[in-house]
Amino acid sequence: MLLGLGRGKSFPLSLGEARINIQSVSDLGTLQSCIIDINEELMIPPLLGHTPFLVDVGANIGQWTASVKLFLPDAQVLAVEPDPRSFDRLKSNVSNLSGVECINCAAGSEPGYAPLYRQPLSTMSTLQPSSGDALDDVLEVLIQPLDDLLQEADNIDLLKIDVEGSELDVLRGCKRSLEHSALLLVEISLARGSTNGINFLAELKQLQPKARIIKFGRPLGHRSQPLCQDVLLALN
């Protein structure tokens, strides 16, 4: 498979009921990381019931959503992805899964539109480009606050945010949703533009005084200057 991916071929990969179309080594690596991280962060020890409601913000092509459904087939998932190309793949990859709803937009503090800078690795596409990001593939995408998307949701078992530098903007549009969420899994940016993960955690603490860190994931990037890191928090 790896040789074929290097030559531009794609491969269908069954993951439980999902059928993921793998088009690059990055697709495969991200899927593998999601499976490992979900097992380590959420399943050992078990933090979710058998039928949780989860929100996947920055769903890309569905690697995290499909991995959750592998462990928890009765989970209900709302998957949010702004890039139309990734969104089409997301819908296709989760089409065999029950209980998954997909929404094509970005999350933010206010409704509107903003430029999305698409990167060669689609998982790195961002609304907040830094000096090392590509700027030549850009399109306007819809922005919606999570509080608008989740206005009827009163029990969110886990809110996952992976938005490549826009964490604070997403946070400022989901104050109500946080009040109704048990767990928050966020990839905080450590070295991307002016984004600072400590600022995110400080502002989250103001909004949710009871928030506490349960676990840190492994840092991603060079050891001396990691780009990002997962943080799992209990909110109540």
Side-chain angles (χ1 to χ4, degrees):
M1 178 187 287
L2 293 178
L3 287 175
L5 291 172
R7 295 168 181 165
K9 295 183 179 180
S10 61
F11 297 88
L13 180 64
S14 294
L15 187 67
E17 296 297 321
R19 191 167 177 84
I20 310 296
N21 183 26
I22 301 295
Q23 297 183 359
S24 68
V25 174
S26 175
D27 289 348
L28 185 62
T30 301
L31 180 62
Q32 181 184 38
S33 295
C34 286
I35 295 171
I36 293 171
D37 290 346
I38 289 169
N39 183 56
E40 293 181 351
E41 294 170 352
L42 303 176
M43 307 307 296
I44 307 173
L47 296 179
L48 300 169
H50 294 294
T51 59
F53 173 52
L54 310 142
V55 182
D56 181 1
V57 182
N60 193 239
I61 64 168
Q63 302 99 318
W64 192 86
T65 289
S67 299
V68 162
K69 294 288 283 185
L70 176 66
F71 290 100
L72 299 166
D74 294 324
Q76 302 289 311
V77 184
L78 177 67
V80 181
E81 169 56 40
D83 186 342
R85 291 189 304 215
S86 296
F87 183 76
D88 287 343
R89 294 183 63 195
L90 165 66
K91 287 196 300 180
S92 176
N93 288 337
V94 304
S95 60
N96 289 339
L97 299 177
S98 62
V100 176
E101 179 184 357
C102 302
I103 297 180
N104 185 199
C105 73
S109 58
E110 299 288 342
Y113 291 85
L116 175 70
Y117 296 86
R118 294 193 282 202
Q119 304 300 305
L121 296 180
S122 64
T123 54
M124 300 296 289
S125 295
T126 180
L127 298 168
Q128 304 286 339
S130 62
S131 58
D133 290 319
L135 304 177
D136 56 348
D137 186 2
V138 58
L139 77 161
E140 294 285 309
V141 296
L142 176 67
I143 309 291
Q144 292 280 11
L146 285 179
D147 280 350
D148 290 351
L149 299 178
L150 297 168
Q151 55 185 318
E152 297 181 3
D154 292 327
N155 293 289
I156 303 167
D157 293 282
L158 184 142
L159 173 59
K160 172 254 185 186
I161 301 173
D162 182 353
V163 290
E164 304 304 322
S166 296
E167 299 87 30
L168 268 174
D169 199 45
V170 174
L171 179 68
R172 291 165 182 165
C174 67
K175 297 177 183 179
R176 177 196 174 278
S177 301
L178 289 172
E179 294 173 358
H180 294 273
S181 298
L183 297 169
L184 172 65
L185 176 62
V186 58
E187 183 187 85
I188 58 172
S189 295
L190 302 174
R192 187 161 198 168
S194 60
T195 304
N196 188 318
I198 294 176
N199 293 342
F200 175 91
L201 294 174
E203 191 158 326
L204 173 67
K205 189 66 174 177
Q206 291 182 349
L207 295 174
Q208 293 289 307
K210 294 182 179 180
R212 63 192 187 279
I213 295 172
I214 297 175
K215 187 170 184 177
F216 287 103
R218 64 186 181 281
L220 300 179
H222 193 275
R223 182 183 302 177
S224 65
Q225 193 175 23
L227 294 174
C228 56
Q229 184 172 17
D230 281 353
V231 181
L232 178 64
L233 304 103
L235 299 181
N236 51 47

